[in-house]
Amino acid sequence: MSEPPATAGRPAPETPRPGSAGVRTSLAGNLNRRRLKHGWSLRELSAATGVSKGLLSQIERAEANPTVDVLVRIADALGTNCTDLLRQPLLRPEIVRAAGLVEPEDETSVTLLYSGHEQGRMEIYRTRLHPHAQSQVSSHGADSVEYVLVMSGQVTLVVNDVPHLLDAGDTARFSGLSSHYYTTEESPAVTHTIVGYPRD
């Protein structure tokens, strides 16, 4: 028996696609963070990659457009890949509204909410919030991503002091590096949260 066709639903992007300047900025931050994690100076990274210290410095200042060959050599030396070096942060939460999903009542529907690039560990939480409650203010570190699904009730997700009201069935994902917390008003709420961490 064949499975009913899946219904695909994707959230509209809340921010415009970054241009080349945004990619250079992301590469600069990712390279600097991974180099420092290895405890290497620019000179040491240059020796490990065969890429000049001057070019590496320009990349970390978001002033250069390295070739694919240079990116591969840097990624190999740092034990990562080009995708991770070019990874762009979630600048604002991406929210999928339950009311906007196309889910016919007479057939099974499967909706892709998000696809992620986390390759390391993950943590899954169930949180029950009482009325007029506030969760602990959290931050999970660089390159982490938090996903939340509101199971019941209504919560306000506050990311970097910006509130986002979520109803039951709504989902959101955002950078786990951002300072964030959840609040409720008159009613209790239950959320399921996944925090994904990259494999470094």
mmCIF file of all heavy atoms in Angstrom, residues 111-155:
data_model
loop_
_atom_site.group_PDB
_atom_site.id
_atom_site.type_symbol
_atom_site.label_atom_id
_atom_site.label_comp_id
_atom_site.label_asym_id
_atom_site.label_seq_id
_atom_site.Cartn_x
_atom_site.Cartn_y
_atom_site.Cartn_z
ATOM 1 N N THR A 111 5.037 17.470 6.984
ATOM 2 C CA THR A 111 5.552 18.788 6.656
ATOM 3 C C THR A 111 6.975 18.948 7.178
ATOM 4 O O THR A 111 7.224 18.740 8.362
ATOM 5 C CB THR A 111 4.672 19.892 7.284
ATOM 6 O OG1 THR A 111 3.334 19.747 6.801
ATOM 7 C CG2 THR A 111 5.188 21.279 6.915
ATOM 8 N N LEU A 112 7.889 19.257 6.285
ATOM 9 C CA LEU A 112 9.253 19.568 6.706
ATOM 10 C C LEU A 112 9.253 20.957 7.335
ATOM 11 O O LEU A 112 8.946 21.945 6.673
ATOM 12 C CB LEU A 112 10.203 19.538 5.503
ATOM 13 C CG LEU A 112 11.639 20.001 5.786
ATOM 14 C CD1 LEU A 112 12.322 19.068 6.788
ATOM 15 C CD2 LEU A 112 12.427 20.090 4.490
ATOM 16 N N LEU A 113 9.575 21.023 8.613
ATOM 17 C CA LEU A 113 9.604 22.304 9.297
ATOM 18 C C LEU A 113 10.965 22.979 9.143
ATOM 19 O O LEU A 113 11.058 24.143 8.783
ATOM 20 C CB LEU A 113 9.270 22.115 10.780
ATOM 21 C CG LEU A 113 7.878 21.539 11.066
ATOM 22 C CD1 LEU A 113 7.700 21.297 12.567
ATOM 23 C CD2 LEU A 113 6.789 22.475 10.546
ATOM 24 N N TYR A 114 12.032 22.244 9.419
ATOM 25 C CA TYR A 114 13.381 22.785 9.311
ATOM 26 C C TYR A 114 14.328 21.663 8.890
ATOM 27 O O TYR A 114 14.084 20.501 9.196
ATOM 28 C CB TYR A 114 13.892 23.340 10.652
ATOM 29 C CG TYR A 114 12.979 24.341 11.310
ATOM 30 C CD1 TYR A 114 12.216 23.992 12.414
ATOM 31 C CD2 TYR A 114 12.891 25.647 10.830
ATOM 32 C CE1 TYR A 114 11.384 24.900 13.026
ATOM 33 C CE2 TYR A 114 12.049 26.567 11.434
ATOM 34 C CZ TYR A 114 11.305 26.198 12.533
ATOM 35 O OH TYR A 114 10.475 27.096 13.127
ATOM 36 N N SER A 115 15.380 22.014 8.212
ATOM 37 C CA SER A 115 16.487 21.080 8.004
ATOM 38 C C SER A 115 17.725 21.743 8.585
ATOM 39 O O SER A 115 17.940 22.942 8.392
ATOM 40 C CB SER A 115 16.684 20.773 6.517
ATOM 41 O OG SER A 115 16.987 21.954 5.806
ATOM 42 N N GLY A 116 18.498 20.973 9.337
ATOM 43 C CA GLY A 116 19.632 21.562 10.042
ATOM 44 C C GLY A 116 20.946 20.953 9.629
ATOM 45 O O GLY A 116 21.005 19.973 8.886
ATOM 46 N N HIS A 117 22.030 21.543 10.125
ATOM 47 C CA HIS A 117 23.372 21.077 9.798
ATOM 48 C C HIS A 117 24.130 20.635 11.040
ATOM 49 O O HIS A 117 25.325 20.414 10.990
ATOM 50 C CB HIS A 117 24.156 22.188 9.095
ATOM 51 C CG HIS A 117 24.019 23.531 9.756
ATOM 52 N ND1 HIS A 117 24.408 23.788 11.047
ATOM 53 C CD2 HIS A 117 23.490 24.696 9.297
ATOM 54 C CE1 HIS A 117 24.149 25.053 11.348
ATOM 55 N NE2 HIS A 117 23.589 25.624 10.308
ATOM 56 N N GLU A 118 23.460 20.526 12.191
ATOM 57 C CA GLU A 118 24.163 20.081 13.379
ATOM 58 C C GLU A 118 24.608 18.631 13.184
ATOM 59 O O GLU A 118 23.833 17.792 12.758
ATOM 60 C CB GLU A 118 23.269 20.171 14.628
ATOM 61 C CG GLU A 118 22.863 21.585 14.994
ATOM 62 C CD GLU A 118 21.746 22.107 14.113
ATOM 63 O OE1 GLU A 118 20.930 21.301 13.640
ATOM 64 O OE2 GLU A 118 21.718 23.318 13.873
ATOM 65 N N GLN A 119 25.853 18.348 13.493
ATOM 66 C CA GLN A 119 26.390 17.015 13.297
ATOM 67 C C GLN A 119 26.883 16.414 14.604
ATOM 68 O O GLN A 119 27.422 15.318 14.621
ATOM 69 C CB GLN A 119 27.545 17.056 12.287
ATOM 70 C CG GLN A 119 27.128 17.603 10.926
ATOM 71 C CD GLN A 119 28.313 17.742 9.993
ATOM 72 O OE1 GLN A 119 29.425 17.357 10.324
ATOM 73 N NE2 GLN A 119 28.084 18.305 8.824
ATOM 74 N N GLY A 120 26.735 17.106 15.682
ATOM 75 C CA GLY A 120 27.223 16.621 16.961
ATOM 76 C C GLY A 120 26.091 16.198 17.870
ATOM 77 O O GLY A 120 25.064 15.696 17.436
ATOM 78 N N ARG A 121 26.263 16.452 19.152
ATOM 79 C CA ARG A 121 25.262 16.019 20.122
ATOM 80 C C ARG A 121 24.035 16.929 20.086
ATOM 81 O O ARG A 121 24.074 18.043 19.562
ATOM 82 C CB ARG A 121 25.868 16.017 21.526
ATOM 83 C CG ARG A 121 26.214 17.396 22.071
ATOM 84 C CD ARG A 121 26.899 17.289 23.408
ATOM 85 N NE ARG A 121 27.316 18.593 23.897
ATOM 86 C CZ ARG A 121 26.584 19.372 24.665
ATOM 87 N NH1 ARG A 121 25.368 18.972 25.031
ATOM 88 N NH2 ARG A 121 27.032 20.546 25.065
ATOM 89 N N MET A 122 22.963 16.426 20.664
ATOM 90 C CA MET A 122 21.770 17.245 20.806
ATOM 91 C C MET A 122 21.120 16.948 22.146
ATOM 92 O O MET A 122 21.336 15.884 22.747
ATOM 93 C CB MET A 122 20.775 17.009 19.674
ATOM 94 C CG MET A 122 20.112 15.660 19.686
ATOM 95 S SD MET A 122 18.857 15.543 18.381
ATOM 96 C CE MET A 122 18.256 13.880 18.681
ATOM 97 N N GLU A 123 20.351 17.899 22.633
ATOM 98 C CA GLU A 123 19.620 17.759 23.893
ATOM 99 C C GLU A 123 18.147 18.027 23.619
ATOM 100 O O GLU A 123 17.810 18.957 22.876
ATOM 101 C CB GLU A 123 20.152 18.748 24.933
ATOM 102 C CG GLU A 123 21.622 18.541 25.260
ATOM 103 C CD GLU A 123 22.221 19.692 26.038
ATOM 104 O OE1 GLU A 123 21.595 20.777 26.106
ATOM 105 O OE2 GLU A 123 23.333 19.517 26.559
ATOM 106 N N ILE A 124 17.266 17.208 24.192
ATOM 107 C CA ILE A 124 15.823 17.359 24.005
ATOM 108 C C ILE A 124 15.183 17.623 25.360
ATOM 109 O O ILE A 124 15.437 16.897 26.329
ATOM 110 C CB ILE A 124 15.210 16.098 23.361
ATOM 111 C CG1 ILE A 124 15.900 15.795 22.024
ATOM 112 C CG2 ILE A 124 13.705 16.271 23.168
ATOM 113 C CD1 ILE A 124 15.419 14.522 21.363
ATOM 114 N N TYR A 125 14.359 18.648 25.442
ATOM 115 C CA TYR A 125 13.738 19.053 26.702
ATOM 116 C C TYR A 125 12.221 19.138 26.565
ATOM 117 O O TYR A 125 11.712 19.506 25.508
ATOM 118 C CB TYR A 125 14.231 20.440 27.148
ATOM 119 C CG TYR A 125 15.712 20.557 27.367
ATOM 120 C CD1 TYR A 125 16.553 20.957 26.334
ATOM 121 C CD2 TYR A 125 16.278 20.276 28.611
ATOM 122 C CE1 TYR A 125 17.919 21.076 26.525
ATOM 123 C CE2 TYR A 125 17.640 20.399 28.820
ATOM 124 C CZ TYR A 125 18.459 20.801 27.770
ATOM 125 O OH TYR A 125 19.802 20.928 27.967
ATOM 126 N N ARG A 126 11.527 18.808 27.631
ATOM 127 C CA ARG A 126 10.110 19.115 27.781
ATOM 128 C C ARG A 126 10.016 20.114 28.934
ATOM 129 O O ARG A 126 10.546 19.866 30.016
ATOM 130 C CB ARG A 126 9.293 17.861 28.101
ATOM 131 C CG ARG A 126 7.825 18.144 28.449
ATOM 132 C CD ARG A 126 7.096 16.849 28.842
ATOM 133 N NE ARG A 126 5.806 17.113 29.455
ATOM 134 C CZ ARG A 126 4.671 17.240 28.777
ATOM 135 N NH1 ARG A 126 4.682 17.135 27.459
ATOM 136 N NH2 ARG A 126 3.530 17.475 29.392
ATOM 137 N N THR A 127 9.351 21.225 28.690
ATOM 138 C CA THR A 127 9.239 22.272 29.702
ATOM 139 C C THR A 127 7.770 22.578 29.974
ATOM 140 O O THR A 127 6.991 22.759 29.027
ATOM 141 C CB THR A 127 9.941 23.569 29.246
ATOM 142 O OG1 THR A 127 11.314 23.275 28.950
ATOM 143 C CG2 THR A 127 9.879 24.638 30.323
ATOM 144 N N ARG A 128 7.395 22.617 31.238
ATOM 145 C CA ARG A 128 6.039 23.006 31.622
ATOM 146 C C ARG A 128 6.129 24.322 32.384
ATOM 147 O O ARG A 128 6.798 24.421 33.410
ATOM 148 C CB ARG A 128 5.391 21.931 32.505
ATOM 149 C CG ARG A 128 3.927 22.231 32.854
ATOM 150 C CD ARG A 128 3.248 20.979 33.374
ATOM 151 N NE ARG A 128 3.859 20.485 34.583
ATOM 152 C CZ ARG A 128 3.507 20.850 35.831
ATOM 153 N NH1 ARG A 128 2.533 21.719 35.994
ATOM 154 N NH2 ARG A 128 4.112 20.346 36.869
ATOM 155 N N LEU A 129 5.465 25.336 31.850
ATOM 156 C CA LEU A 129 5.485 26.673 32.439
ATOM 157 C C LEU A 129 4.136 26.976 33.078
ATOM 158 O O LEU A 129 3.094 26.773 32.457
ATOM 159 C CB LEU A 129 5.793 27.728 31.374
ATOM 160 C CG LEU A 129 7.196 27.689 30.761
ATOM 161 C CD1 LEU A 129 7.227 28.441 29.445
ATOM 162 C CD2 LEU A 129 8.206 28.284 31.725
ATOM 163 N N HIS A 130 4.159 27.456 34.302
ATOM 164 C CA HIS A 130 2.932 27.864 34.983
ATOM 165 C C HIS A 130 2.496 29.239 34.474
ATOM 166 O O HIS A 130 3.264 29.936 33.809
ATOM 167 C CB HIS A 130 3.159 27.907 36.496
ATOM 168 C CG HIS A 130 3.440 26.572 37.090
ATOM 169 N ND1 HIS A 130 2.460 25.642 37.313
ATOM 170 C CD2 HIS A 130 4.600 25.989 37.503
ATOM 171 C CE1 HIS A 130 2.981 24.554 37.847
ATOM 172 N NE2 HIS A 130 4.291 24.733 37.956
ATOM 173 N N PRO A 131 1.274 29.654 34.772
ATOM 174 C CA PRO A 131 0.854 31.007 34.390
ATOM 175 C C PRO A 131 1.778 32.063 34.991
ATOM 176 O O PRO A 131 2.280 31.904 36.108
ATOM 177 C CB PRO A 131 -0.568 31.112 34.963
ATOM 178 C CG PRO A 131 -1.041 29.698 35.029
ATOM 179 C CD PRO A 131 0.171 28.885 35.379
ATOM 180 N N HIS A 132 2.028 33.115 34.251
ATOM 181 C CA HIS A 132 2.874 34.234 34.681
ATOM 182 C C HIS A 132 4.273 33.749 35.089
ATOM 183 O O HIS A 132 4.846 34.218 36.077
ATOM 184 C CB HIS A 132 2.215 34.999 35.837
ATOM 185 C CG HIS A 132 0.849 35.496 35.525
ATOM 186 N ND1 HIS A 132 0.608 36.525 34.638
ATOM 187 C CD2 HIS A 132 -0.376 35.079 35.966
ATOM 188 C CE1 HIS A 132 -0.702 36.736 34.551
ATOM 189 N NE2 HIS A 132 -1.320 35.872 35.340
ATOM 190 N N ALA A 133 4.798 32.824 34.317
ATOM 191 C CA ALA A 133 6.121 32.265 34.609
ATOM 192 C C ALA A 133 7.144 32.765 33.608
ATOM 193 O O ALA A 133 6.806 33.229 32.507
ATOM 194 C CB ALA A 133 6.074 30.741 34.585
ATOM 195 N N GLN A 134 8.399 32.666 33.997
ATOM 196 C CA GLN A 134 9.504 32.967 33.087
ATOM 197 C C GLN A 134 10.574 31.906 33.268
ATOM 198 O O GLN A 134 10.958 31.581 34.390
ATOM 199 C CB GLN A 134 10.111 34.344 33.361
ATOM 200 C CG GLN A 134 11.318 34.646 32.454
ATOM 201 C CD GLN A 134 11.944 35.998 32.719
ATOM 202 O OE1 GLN A 134 11.247 37.007 32.830
ATOM 203 N NE2 GLN A 134 13.266 36.042 32.820
ATOM 204 N N SER A 135 11.050 31.367 32.156
ATOM 205 C CA SER A 135 12.112 30.376 32.232
ATOM 206 C C SER A 135 13.444 31.064 32.521
ATOM 207 O O SER A 135 13.565 32.291 32.465
ATOM 208 C CB SER A 135 12.207 29.602 30.921
ATOM 209 O OG SER A 135 12.689 30.447 29.884
ATOM 210 N N GLN A 136 14.438 30.265 32.787
ATOM 211 C CA GLN A 136 15.780 30.781 33.012
ATOM 212 C C GLN A 136 16.323 31.383 31.718
ATOM 213 O O GLN A 136 16.097 30.858 30.638
ATOM 214 C CB GLN A 136 16.685 29.642 33.472
ATOM 215 C CG GLN A 136 18.130 30.024 33.702
ATOM 216 C CD GLN A 136 18.958 28.846 34.167
ATOM 217 O OE1 GLN A 136 18.419 27.825 34.585
ATOM 218 N NE2 GLN A 136 20.272 28.964 34.064
ATOM 219 N N VAL A 137 17.029 32.494 31.833
ATOM 220 C CA VAL A 137 17.690 33.091 30.676
ATOM 221 C C VAL A 137 18.842 32.182 30.273
ATOM 222 O O VAL A 137 19.668 31.800 31.109
ATOM 223 C CB VAL A 137 18.201 34.505 30.991
ATOM 224 C CG1 VAL A 137 18.934 35.098 29.784
ATOM 225 C CG2 VAL A 137 17.045 35.409 31.401
ATOM 226 N N SER A 138 18.895 31.793 28.991
ATOM 227 C CA SER A 138 19.867 30.799 28.533
ATOM 228 C C SER A 138 20.678 31.289 27.349
ATOM 229 O O SER A 138 20.281 32.202 26.626
ATOM 230 C CB SER A 138 19.151 29.501 28.136
ATOM 231 O OG SER A 138 18.405 28.974 29.208
ATOM 232 N N SER A 139 21.804 30.633 27.139
ATOM 233 C CA SER A 139 22.639 30.794 25.953
ATOM 234 C C SER A 139 23.471 29.528 25.857
ATOM 235 O O SER A 139 24.043 29.090 26.860
ATOM 236 C CB SER A 139 23.531 32.023 26.077
ATOM 237 O OG SER A 139 24.373 32.150 24.940
ATOM 238 N N HIS A 140 23.536 28.916 24.674
ATOM 239 C CA HIS A 140 24.138 27.588 24.556
ATOM 240 C C HIS A 140 25.477 27.558 23.829
ATOM 241 O O HIS A 140 26.024 26.487 23.616
ATOM 242 C CB HIS A 140 23.164 26.642 23.845
ATOM 243 C CG HIS A 140 21.821 26.581 24.485
ATOM 244 N ND1 HIS A 140 21.621 26.105 25.763
ATOM 245 C CD2 HIS A 140 20.591 26.961 24.043
ATOM 246 C CE1 HIS A 140 20.336 26.168 26.066
ATOM 247 N NE2 HIS A 140 19.692 26.693 25.036
ATOM 248 N N GLY A 141 25.998 28.698 23.436
ATOM 249 C CA GLY A 141 27.325 28.705 22.827
ATOM 250 C C GLY A 141 27.300 28.849 21.317
ATOM 251 O O GLY A 141 26.277 28.687 20.657
ATOM 252 N N ALA A 142 28.467 29.157 20.775
ATOM 253 C CA ALA A 142 28.612 29.413 19.346
ATOM 254 C C ALA A 142 28.210 28.207 18.513
ATOM 255 O O ALA A 142 28.484 27.066 18.881
ATOM 256 C CB ALA A 142 30.062 29.797 19.036
ATOM 257 N N ASP A 143 27.518 28.462 17.408
ATOM 258 C CA ASP A 143 27.101 27.465 16.416
ATOM 259 C C ASP A 143 25.981 26.552 16.881
ATOM 260 O O ASP A 143 25.548 25.678 16.131
ATOM 261 C CB ASP A 143 28.287 26.596 15.956
ATOM 262 C CG ASP A 143 29.307 27.391 15.151
ATOM 263 O OD1 ASP A 143 28.925 28.435 14.599
ATOM 264 O OD2 ASP A 143 30.464 26.967 15.080
ATOM 265 N N SER A 144 25.488 26.714 18.107
ATOM 266 C CA SER A 144 24.350 25.904 18.539
ATOM 267 C C SER A 144 23.061 26.485 17.968
ATOM 268 O O SER A 144 22.977 27.671 17.647
ATOM 269 C CB SER A 144 24.265 25.855 20.069
ATOM 270 O OG SER A 144 24.035 27.147 20.608
ATOM 271 N N VAL A 145 22.059 25.624 17.799
ATOM 272 C CA VAL A 145 20.754 26.045 17.286
ATOM 273 C C VAL A 145 19.679 25.463 18.186
ATOM 274 O O VAL A 145 19.732 24.282 18.544
ATOM 275 C CB VAL A 145 20.525 25.562 15.832
ATOM 276 C CG1 VAL A 145 19.130 25.949 15.340
ATOM 277 C CG2 VAL A 145 21.582 26.140 14.903
ATOM 278 N N GLU A 146 18.718 26.280 18.589
ATOM 279 C CA GLU A 146 17.612 25.802 19.424
ATOM 280 C C GLU A 146 16.327 25.757 18.595
ATOM 281 O O GLU A 146 16.032 26.695 17.854
ATOM 282 C CB GLU A 146 17.405 26.690 20.645
ATOM 283 C CG GLU A 146 16.277 26.212 21.548
ATOM 284 C CD GLU A 146 16.337 26.780 22.961
ATOM 285 O OE1 GLU A 146 17.446 27.082 23.441
ATOM 286 O OE2 GLU A 146 15.270 26.933 23.586
ATOM 287 N N TYR A 147 15.589 24.655 18.725
ATOM 288 C CA TYR A 147 14.294 24.468 18.080
ATOM 289 C C TYR A 147 13.256 24.318 19.181
ATOM 290 O O TYR A 147 13.480 23.587 20.156
ATOM 291 C CB TYR A 147 14.281 23.192 17.230
ATOM 292 C CG TYR A 147 15.288 23.145 16.113
ATOM 293 C CD1 TYR A 147 16.632 22.866 16.361
ATOM 294 C CD2 TYR A 147 14.897 23.360 14.786
ATOM 295 C CE1 TYR A 147 17.556 22.803 15.323
ATOM 296 C CE2 TYR A 147 15.819 23.289 13.749
ATOM 297 C CZ TYR A 147 17.147 23.017 14.028
ATOM 298 O OH TYR A 147 18.058 22.955 13.003
ATOM 299 N N VAL A 148 12.117 24.983 19.046
ATOM 300 C CA VAL A 148 11.058 24.851 20.040
ATOM 301 C C VAL A 148 9.725 24.593 19.350
ATOM 302 O O VAL A 148 9.436 25.178 18.301
ATOM 303 C CB VAL A 148 10.965 26.100 20.949
ATOM 304 C CG1 VAL A 148 10.671 27.362 20.147
ATOM 305 C CG2 VAL A 148 9.920 25.900 22.045
ATOM 306 N N LEU A 149 8.941 23.686 19.918
ATOM 307 C CA LEU A 149 7.572 23.401 19.474
ATOM 308 C C LEU A 149 6.651 23.617 20.665
ATOM 309 O O LEU A 149 6.856 23.019 21.725
ATOM 310 C CB LEU A 149 7.460 21.955 18.976
ATOM 311 C CG LEU A 149 6.041 21.397 18.786
ATOM 312 C CD1 LEU A 149 5.285 22.193 17.728
ATOM 313 C CD2 LEU A 149 6.100 19.915 18.395
ATOM 314 N N VAL A 150 5.656 24.484 20.508
ATOM 315 C CA VAL A 150 4.692 24.737 21.579
ATOM 316 C C VAL A 150 3.634 23.649 21.518
ATOM 317 O O VAL A 150 2.859 23.569 20.560
ATOM 318 C CB VAL A 150 4.056 26.133 21.442
ATOM 319 C CG1 VAL A 150 3.081 26.372 22.590
ATOM 320 C CG2 VAL A 150 5.133 27.215 21.430
ATOM 321 N N MET A 151 3.599 22.800 22.530
ATOM 322 C CA MET A 151 2.662 21.679 22.565
ATOM 323 C C MET A 151 1.272 22.121 22.996
ATOM 324 O O MET A 151 0.260 21.648 22.486
ATOM 325 C CB MET A 151 3.189 20.591 23.506
ATOM 326 C CG MET A 151 4.578 20.082 23.161
ATOM 327 S SD MET A 151 4.647 19.336 21.521
ATOM 328 C CE MET A 151 3.587 17.904 21.777
ATOM 329 N N SER A 152 1.218 23.020 23.977
ATOM 330 C CA SER A 152 -0.070 23.520 24.459
ATOM 331 C C SER A 152 0.126 24.892 25.081
ATOM 332 O O SER A 152 1.234 25.248 25.503
ATOM 333 C CB SER A 152 -0.677 22.560 25.496
ATOM 334 O OG SER A 152 0.129 22.488 26.651
ATOM 335 N N GLY A 153 -0.946 25.666 25.117
ATOM 336 C CA GLY A 153 -0.874 27.002 25.687
ATOM 337 C C GLY A 153 -0.274 28.010 24.726
ATOM 338 O O GLY A 153 -0.256 27.811 23.511
ATOM 339 N N GLN A 154 0.217 29.078 25.272
ATOM 340 C CA GLN A 154 0.792 30.179 24.500
ATOM 341 C C GLN A 154 2.005 30.696 25.255
ATOM 342 O O GLN A 154 1.953 30.909 26.468
ATOM 343 C CB GLN A 154 -0.243 31.292 24.333
ATOM 344 C CG GLN A 154 0.167 32.433 23.422
ATOM 345 C CD GLN A 154 -0.913 33.509 23.354
ATOM 346 O OE1 GLN A 154 -1.126 34.242 24.311
ATOM 347 N NE2 GLN A 154 -1.604 33.588 22.221
ATOM 348 N N VAL A 155 3.121 30.875 24.544
ATOM 349 C CA VAL A 155 4.332 31.387 25.176
ATOM 350 C C VAL A 155 4.881 32.544 24.364
ATOM 351 O O VAL A 155 4.600 32.677 23.172
ATOM 352 C CB VAL A 155 5.428 30.300 25.312
ATOM 353 C CG1 VAL A 155 4.936 29.131 26.127
ATOM 354 C CG2 VAL A 155 5.915 29.845 23.949
#
